[in-house]
Amino acid sequence: MSHQHIGRRAFLKQSAFLSGAAAAPIGFAAGLPLSQRQEWQTFKTSPQYASLLFAIATMKANANPDDPGSWAYWCNIHVNYCPHSIAYFFGWHRGYLYHFERQLRLVADDPNLILPYWDYYTDPNLPSEFTDPGTANPLYAERFNTNVSAALSMEPFSPLLTNFMRGAKRAFEPSFESAPHNTLHNLIGGDMATMESPLDPIFWLHHANVDRLWVAWVAAGGGRVMPAISNVYWSGSYSYTPTVTMLRTHTWDTRTSLGYYYQNETLPAALPALAKSVTQSQAFISPSAPAVGSFKLTGSRVTSGTTFAAVGARDVSLDERSVSVQMPPSQEAGLALARIFRGKEAMITASGIRYKSVQVVFDNVMLTGNGKQGGYFYNIYLNLPAARNSPSATVSALIGTLGPFQVAGASHHRGGPAQLRYVVNRWVENMTEVQISMLTISFVRVNGNNRPSGSVIDIGEVRVELSSEEVDS
């Protein structure tokens, strides 16, 4: 479809004059029946299926991007306001879905219309209604893949991740955002691999499922802790336009303020059985380090008032192969890293600053034309020597993922080449007797059924930084 994109300044100016139901205050009267958001396979048999198709088709036909009744308007909110890799990823998107759902009801003139969700942990294949390229099908979009098995992870549901918000140790939010959220965007590709991902109708079902899994995480208990509604974390509001906002406290629980719940509010027990079209080797990659590439090393240096680069490598180009970047830190930097990994502070003589955390930084990151389309991502591993008395053994820690969706988002918000940071000490701080004589960052390629070949991502520098800030996620 054709999308008329407008810049942030023009969007803010135009949105300031908007009014109507999209900006209406939230209210849920006690005693009213709750709405149930249904899984797609149930929803498509309901009377509201026709209402959804009508609403989407009508909104796509509206060519005015500053009209809340247009499809482009809601895409531009995501482009200009969405928080990724920062606090409130879950809460902001919950409010976003709520406002969008209200708009769907207005356009369809159906007060019973609800947003369905796609439970890809039950069936990782896109529902067939979204893959029919018929000209009259408003659910269709061009995509690179329609099976997301390789994007799914059980890590966010580990009983060890008991804290919720980004910045806390063992936190659910950053783990889930990395995978399956980002990886699913990357693997589907097309618009989903960009900041304009809401152009693809499957975006809304994906994020309804993201919201559902947050509900399920809270309901699972087992020591999992949400900040209390009285916690300062919930102070303030989310912004969608200057006139469309939501109090953060309204997103603490879906039933109390927003008036809905989900058909299934339990966490996945296991990954789904792989579809026949996805092989075992494509879906599960061994964490063993791939071949080491040849890269020019960059030296240690102060990189900001709070960070110090222990070691780095320049001009890392990623393609369809997995690759490792090997970097030997200086003796002083290696000792400092080892102290931080053991939960202690460390000082570097050249800076005189006490450092508390370690981050892997990808600087000046750019997508190639080939890489923008998606269909792939990389699991990022930090490989360390395991112990002084066994120099041949290594410990591999999965510290995150990298793909076109993350790069596009970081580039957009930075207004130029992206910079991406991965906090690593929360994964390895309990290691003992680690001798940091060599650091290895491994990029392990994960593909969908369809994937691009050749260069996809160029990284100006891969480096390991010490930070004086106590960052946990």
Side-chain angles (χ1 to χ4, degrees):
M1 64 169 284
S2 174
H3 171 225
Q4 182 181 351
H5 179 69
I6 58 178
R8 179 177 175 84
R9 181 175 299 176
F11 178 73
L12 297 179
K13 182 178 179 180
Q14 292 168 356
S15 296
F17 296 99
L18 296 177
S19 60
I26 293 173
F28 177 67
L32 291 179
L34 296 170
S35 299
Q36 183 191 75
R37 286 187 179 171
Q38 299 173 329
E39 207 283 325
W40 178 258
Q41 298 303 324
T42 300
F43 173 83
K44 71 180 185 181
T45 65
S46 73
Q48 278 63 54
Y49 176 63
S51 295
L52 179 68
L53 296 183
F54 174 81
I56 294 176
T58 302
M59 293 173 75
K60 284 186 172 184
N62 186 335
N64 183 1
D66 53 313
D67 179 357
S70 73
W71 198 247
Y73 173 87
W74 295 93
C75 177
N76 285 330
I77 287 178
H78 189 264
V79 169
N80 288 304
Y81 284 91
C82 70
H84 289 289
S85 299
I86 59 175
Y88 301 109
F89 162 75
F90 273 114
W92 186 93
H93 283 88
R94 176 169 284 176
Y96 184 42
L97 293 181
Y98 178 84
H99 283 302
F100 177 72
E101 184 178 66
R102 288 166 62 87
Q103 187 63 50
L104 287 176
R105 290 172 182 162
L106 282 173
V107 174
D109 193 22
D110 184 349
N112 296 316
L113 178 57
I114 55 173
L115 267 177
Y117 66 93
W118 167 35
D119 182 2
Y120 31 78
Y121 277 90
T122 297
D123 186 351
N125 294 291
L126 264 74
S128 59
E129 293 79 13
F130 288 79
T131 61
D132 179 0
T135 55
N137 181 13
L139 303 178
Y140 177 76
E142 292 187 4
R143 308 176 181 99
F144 223 64
N145 286 288
T146 58
N147 180 290
V148 298
S149 292
L152 303 182
S153 170
M154 291 298 292
E155 181 185 342
F157 315 128
S158 165
L160 298 178
L161 299 186
T162 54
N163 290 312
F164 169 70
M165 60 187 183
R166 180 177 291 277
K169 293 183 179 181
R170 299 179 294 278
F172 170 63
E173 185 172 49
S175 177
F176 187 100
E177 185 179 357
S178 178
H181 171 263
N182 290 345
T183 50
L184 191 141
H185 275 271
N186 289 322
L187 214 61
I188 290 177
D191 286 328
M192 282 287 280
T194 74
M195 291 296 289
E196 296 184 336
S197 50
L199 290 177
D200 188 336
I202 202 63
F203 169 94
W204 302 100
L205 275 71
H206 169 35
H207 268 277
N209 197 47
V210 168
D211 188 61
R212 178 186 74 89
L213 290 169
W214 175 15
V215 172
W217 183 84
V218 175
R224 296 175 175 89
V225 179
M226 279 275 288
I229 195 168
S230 58
N231 191 297
V232 67
Y233 176 78
W234 300 105
S235 299
S237 301
Y238 307 114
S239 294
Y240 303 96
T241 77
T243 57
V244 181
T245 61
M246 180 177 286
L247 291 174
R248 287 175 180 155
T249 52
H250 283 155
T251 62
W252 186 78
D253 173 73
T254 67
R255 296 171 183 249
T256 305
S257 297
L258 305 183
Y260 68 88
Y261 68 104
Y262 286 95
Q263 180 180 339
N264 180 340
E265 295 186 342
T266 59
L267 288 177
L271 291 172
L274 296 178
K276 294 181 180 179
S277 58
V278 177
T279 68
Q280 185 79 13
S281 62
Q282 289 171 340
F284 301 101
I285 305 295
S286 169
S288 59
V292 175
S294 178
F295 305 103
K296 185 176 181 179
L297 297 179
T298 56
S300 59
R301 65 195 189 277
V302 173
T303 46
S304 76
T306 59
T307 56
F308 181 88
V311 68
R314 186 178 300 162
D315 299 330
V316 177
S317 182
L318 302 178
D319 55 27
E320 66 270 24
R321 298 166 294 182
S322 298
V323 66
S324 292
V325 180
Q326 207 166 65
M327 303 170 289
S330 67
Q331 183 178 13
E332 182 184 28
L335 290 172
L337 287 163
R339 283 184 60 83
I340 296 172
F341 286 153
R342 290 198 295 271
K344 302 177 181 179
E345 296 183 1
M347 181 178 287
I348 297 291
T349 304
S351 69
I353 297 174
R354 301 193 73 84
Y355 296 104
K356 302 176 182 178
S357 61
V358 178
Q359 301 175 40
V360 170
V361 181
F362 302 155
D363 211 354
N364 292 315
V365 186
M366 293 185 290
L367 296 168
T368 69
N370 202 32
K372 293 178 180 179
Q373 57 194 332
Y376 68 96
F377 64 90
Y378 298 86
N379 282 325
I380 311 300
Y381 291 91
L382 172 66
N383 305 294
L384 299 169
R388 288 188 178 92
N389 58 3
S390 55
S392 62
T394 60
V395 173
S396 295
L398 177 63
I399 61 172
T401 61
L402 173 68
F405 181 75
Q406 295 102 306
V407 177
S411 295
H412 173 76
H413 291 303
R414 201 175 187 217
Q419 183 184 90
L420 296 131
R421 292 180 172 271
Y422 301 78
V423 178
V424 298
N425 56 299
R426 69 189 178 104
W427 297 104
V428 297
E429 63 183 355
N430 293 323
M431 293 169 57
T432 59
E433 297 301 313
V434 177
Q435 183 180 17
I436 311 298
S437 57
M438 183 67 71
L439 293 167
T440 304
I441 306 298
S442 295
F443 298 84
V444 179
R445 172 77 170 242
V446 181
N447 294 311
N449 294 340
N450 298 304
R451 79 298 303 266
S453 58
S455 178
V456 291
I457 299 176
D458 292 326
I459 306 174
E461 184 184 23
V462 172
R463 63 178 182 266
V464 178
E465 285 190 349
L466 313 180
S467 174
S468 63
E469 298 178 348
E470 193 166 357
V471 183
D472 290 309
S473 60

